[in-house]
Amino acid sequence: MASLHMHLPLQVRVPLMRAVIGSSSQWSCSNRMQRMRLLQRPQLPNHPPHARVRLFSSPRALADEEAAAKAAATIADTGAPTIFDKIIRKEIPATIVYEDEKVLAFRDINPQAPVHILLIPKKRDGLTQLSKAEPRHADILGYMLYSAKVVAEKEGISEGYRIVINNGPGGCQSVYHIHLHILGGRQMKWPAG
């Protein structure tokens, strides 16, 4: 993650890194370094979900995730390239599971379910978050939902999955390039929380 987020301003990178490696005294220096090395390791297509590290599992990490979302909101509408723009341009590696002329879908590096895919439009077109949608965005938003169905079928989860859109800092959106989370491979719970 450190190498992936170096393009972000310091006020965004610090909360992100705290959320990832922790900053409390309960973590030893070697433990923090081990978690950092795991983050810098590229995701492999055959990397089993159970072997991945759960990064946001402690109350402190969750608070740091919220802080990272709030920090990311401060640069949301600057037009600066996001990590997703770099993935689209293939400057940053990602495990791509679906791609066409309009959208790109890839595995989340911090999966919250056995199947956790992010689906993004290839052109941001001012659509940094759902609350910024205008009538001209209706086609791409509908296409994203249709593409999520296609991805769910390809991933073998079409019998049950959840689509999530985080919107703004209160919704813990940390990348301001609209995206869908496709979650499945386990029984979803309600309320979603």
Side-chain angles (χ1 to χ4, degrees):
M1 182 159 186
S3 60
L4 298 180
H5 291 301
M6 292 309 292
H7 69 283
L8 295 173
L10 190 59
Q11 71 265 25
V12 175
R13 280 197 317 244
V14 170
L16 281 173
M17 294 311 296
R18 282 189 183 138
V20 170
I21 63 172
S23 60
S24 73
S25 59
Q26 71 182 20
W27 299 106
S28 68
C29 183
S30 63
N31 191 345
R32 281 195 298 260
M33 293 306 293
Q34 179 182 15
R35 292 175 81 181
M36 180 64 78
R37 280 192 296 276
L38 286 171
L39 286 172
Q40 293 174 341
R41 191 177 299 155
Q43 288 292 316
L44 302 174
N46 59 353
H47 196 142
H50 66 275
R52 295 182 184 140
V53 176
R54 296 288 308 237
L55 301 176
F56 298 110
S57 56
S58 72
R60 174 153 178 96
L62 290 173
D64 285 341
E65 182 181 8
E66 292 169 12
K70 289 176 182 169
T74 64
I75 61 162
D77 294 318
T78 63
T82 68
I83 191 169
F84 293 166
D85 293 311
K86 293 183 177 199
I87 290 172
I88 291 166
R89 292 190 307 260
K90 311 291 194 273
E91 294 172 5
I92 294 176
T95 305
I96 297 171
V97 298
Y98 178 80
E99 182 174 15
D100 64 23
E101 68 282 350
K102 294 181 180 179
V103 298
L104 179 73
F106 52 94
R107 298 201 185 282
D108 194 301
I109 62 168
N110 182 29
Q112 301 300 306
V115 175
H116 187 168
I117 308 292
L118 297 175
L119 189 136
I120 61 175
K122 287 187 170 181
K123 294 181 182 166
R124 208 175 344 164
D125 190 28
L127 194 52
T128 55
Q129 58 193 52
L130 190 57
S131 60
K132 301 278 184 176
E134 299 174 7
R136 66 189 168 103
H137 296 123
D139 288 340
I140 191 63
L141 290 170
Y143 190 78
M144 288 174 68
L145 287 173
Y146 170 75
S147 299
K149 178 206 90 120
V150 171
V151 169
E153 288 172 349
K154 287 180 64 129
E155 291 293 314
I157 59 170
S158 60
E159 292 301 315
Y161 56 96
R162 179 168 287 157
I163 303 294
V164 176
I165 299 177
N166 298 329
N167 187 79
C172 267
Q173 182 178 2
S174 58
V175 179
Y176 281 81
H177 182 137
I178 195 162
H179 55 284
L180 303 177
H181 295 260
I182 306 165
L183 300 152
R186 66 170 167 82
Q187 176 62 54
M188 297 290 126
K189 305 291 184 191
W190 196 257

